[in-house]
């Protein structure tokens, strides 16, 4: 951290209160790029001096201007001598757009406040380049909020496997619905939030039992229209996916991936019609419990550019992924009702977790339902160590 004393031209240095307020303004606009910027992160920026805000920007579209450029353009010549607040370290490489560090240096801003570092090896070290150019740079204001905003991006670039969110609609007795029947558990506001979550992930994952019972479409149909439709992925060990299902019939509208054991009986005969219909059939081995090797599935997704995946069930899939440590965040949508003995358990056969493994980080009411977000301790530790 560097600090510059009083400058008679630029005025008094910003106070801690001003820094917090302007960084929170940048964090507030960053989510406006949800669903439109992946594989890039969500970024917001503000150009300000004292209480005056001269420019605000956010990364709105993949391949378009970054947040810093939008904010500097709006500020124009008023950026000279001002402070730039940005939620993620400015990039210093030539990608879809020119490096942001060069534009920042040209703008004449005297100070840059960064919420958190960029772990992407291609883009990192922008702070050092700005310091070498003579700018004051401070890192860490509202760091935790900035990291949570881009948890999926940061996780992927540190671990090189997809970030996984588990979404479950639950009754008060932790049931997913009635046995063998498609059952709406939560209300319309919870469903709206699910569609928003779908638009913010690169892939949506379910098991073959969910296909047979619900025949879901799995598309994002909310206010946020994703730039690229999320991949619809199925864990389908013996490749039971029917060509008549909604997923297969709409494969031309949004990608469908079927993960299956290539050594299962009749694999080639079943894979051919699915591939002809536009489904990508991906062979992965089984693990010792005769289910698909979930680590192999995760690696296949990472190699194909999937940074984040929303797991939508059912119970066997949820329990298996939790058991193997593949889930970083849980979105529990809880309805005020009971299914009793006839309900489908949300986590069949799951062993007790260690106290402190899961932390509640968000809670909101959605009509009659309650949305609670939990994060795993391993995610918290990974973000803390970036």
């Amino acid at each position: 951290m560097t600090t510059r004393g009083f400058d008679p031209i630029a005025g008094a240095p910003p106070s801690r209160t001003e820094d917090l307020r302007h960084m929170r303004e940048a964090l507030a606009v960053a989510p406006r790029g949800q669903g439109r910027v992946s594989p890039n992160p969500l970024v917001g920026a503000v150009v300000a001096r004292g209480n005056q805000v001269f420019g605000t920007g956010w990364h709105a579209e993949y391949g378009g201007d970054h947040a810093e450029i939008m904010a500097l353009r709006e500020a124009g010549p008023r950026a000279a001598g001002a402070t730039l607040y940005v939620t993620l370290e400015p990039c210093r490489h030539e990608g879809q757009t020119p490096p942001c560090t060069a534009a920042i240096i040209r703008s004449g801003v005297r100070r840059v406040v960064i919420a958190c570092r960029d772990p992407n090896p291609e883009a990192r070290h922008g702070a050092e380049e700005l310091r070498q150019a003579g700018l004051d740079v401070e890192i860490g204001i509202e760091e935790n909020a900035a990291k949570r905003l881009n948890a999926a991006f940061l996780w992927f670039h540190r671990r090189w496997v997809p970030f996984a969110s588990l979404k479950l609609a639950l009754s008060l007795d932790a049931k997913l619905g009635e046995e063998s029947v498609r059952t709406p558990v939560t209300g319309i506001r919870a469903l709206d939030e699910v569609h928003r979550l779908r638009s913010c992930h690169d892939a949506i994952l379910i098991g073959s039992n969910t296909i047979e019972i619900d025949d879901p479409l799995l598309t994002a149909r909310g206010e946020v229209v994703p730039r690229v439709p999320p991949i619809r992925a199925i864990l389908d060990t013996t490749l039971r996916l029917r060509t008549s299902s909604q997923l297969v019939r709409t494969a031309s509208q949004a990608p469908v991936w079927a993960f299956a054991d290539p050594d299962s009986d009749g694999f080639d005969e079943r894979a051919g019609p699915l591939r002809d219909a536009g489904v990508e059939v991906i062979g992965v081995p089984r693990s010792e419990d005769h289910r698909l090797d979930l680590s192999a599935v995760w690696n296949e997704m990472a190699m194909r550019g999937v940074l984040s995946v929303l797991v939508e069930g059912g119970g066997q899939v949820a329990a298996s992924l939790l058991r193997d440590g593949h889930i970083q965040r849980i979105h529990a949508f809880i309805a005020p009702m009971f299914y009793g003995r006839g309900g489908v358990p949300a986590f069949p056969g799951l062993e007790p977790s260690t106290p402190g493994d899961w932390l509640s980080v968000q809670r909101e009411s959605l009509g009659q339902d309650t949305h609670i977000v939990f994060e795993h301790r391993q995610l918290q530790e990974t973000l803390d160590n970036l």
Side-chain angles (χ1 to χ4, degrees), residues 302-315:
M303 288 190 294
R304 288 167 166 79
V306 173
L307 275 65
S308 61
V309 56
L310 178 66
V311 180
E312 293 204 26

Side-chain angles (χ1 to χ4, degrees), residues 39-41 93 117-125 153-154 157 160:
N40 285 353
H93 75 297
R117 289 276 195 176
D118 189 339
N120 185 348
E122 290 186 350
R124 64 194 312 176
H125 302 307
F153 174 83
L154 297 171
H157 286 287
W160 299 109

Side-chain angles (χ1 to χ4, degrees), residues 84-121:
L84 170 66
Y85 298 86
V86 61
T87 58
L88 189 71
E89 182 178 18
C91 65
R92 59 186 295 270
H93 75 297
E94 186 91 27
Q96 293 286 327
T97 59
C100 289
T101 50
I104 293 168
I105 294 166
R106 289 195 305 269
S107 73
V109 300
R110 72 182 183 97
R111 181 170 177 258
V112 179
V113 179
I114 301 167
C116 71
R117 289 276 195 176
D118 189 339
N120 185 348

Side-chain angles (χ1 to χ4, degrees), residues 30-200:
R32 295 184 186 182
Q34 283 183 340
R36 306 298 305 176
V37 300
S38 182
N40 285 353
L42 298 168
V43 184
V46 167
V47 178
R49 184 186 293 121
N51 289 321
Q52 290 184 294
V53 174
F54 299 139
T56 302
W58 60 92
H59 187 27
E61 191 80 16
Y62 179 73
D65 287 336
H66 289 187
E68 303 95 314
I69 305 304
M70 287 183 64
L72 290 170
R73 182 182 297 124
E74 183 177 309
R78 295 174 297 176
T83 298
L84 170 66
Y85 298 86
V86 61
T87 58
L88 189 71
E89 182 178 18
C91 65
R92 59 186 295 270
H93 75 297
E94 186 91 27
Q96 293 286 327
T97 59
C100 289
T101 50
I104 293 168
I105 294 166
R106 289 195 305 269
S107 73
V109 300
R110 72 182 183 97
R111 181 170 177 258
V112 179
V113 179
I114 301 167
C116 71
R117 289 276 195 176
D118 189 339
N120 185 348
E122 290 186 350
R124 64 194 312 176
H125 302 307
E128 284 71 24
E129 183 170 317
L130 295 174
R131 285 188 175 119
Q132 290 171 6
L135 280 69
D136 287 342
V137 177
E138 181 172 350
I139 303 172
I141 290 181
E142 289 294 312
E143 181 177 22
N144 289 337
K147 286 179 176 180
R148 287 200 66 244
L149 174 69
N150 280 308
F153 174 83
L154 297 171
W155 173 272
F156 182 86
H157 286 287
R158 174 52 63 96
R159 298 275 183 163
W160 299 109
V161 292
F163 176 93
S165 303
L166 172 63
K167 170 249 132 182
L168 290 170
L170 304 164
S171 62
L172 290 174
D173 54 347
K175 300 295 176 63
L176 299 176
E178 297 177 12
E179 187 77 37
S180 302
V181 178
R182 181 171 184 171
T183 313
V185 179
T186 50
I188 188 65
R189 290 186 59 188
L191 181 59
D192 289 343
E193 178 61 14
V194 171
H195 281 294
R196 188 194 69 80
L197 288 172
R198 287 179 178 179
S199 72
C200 299

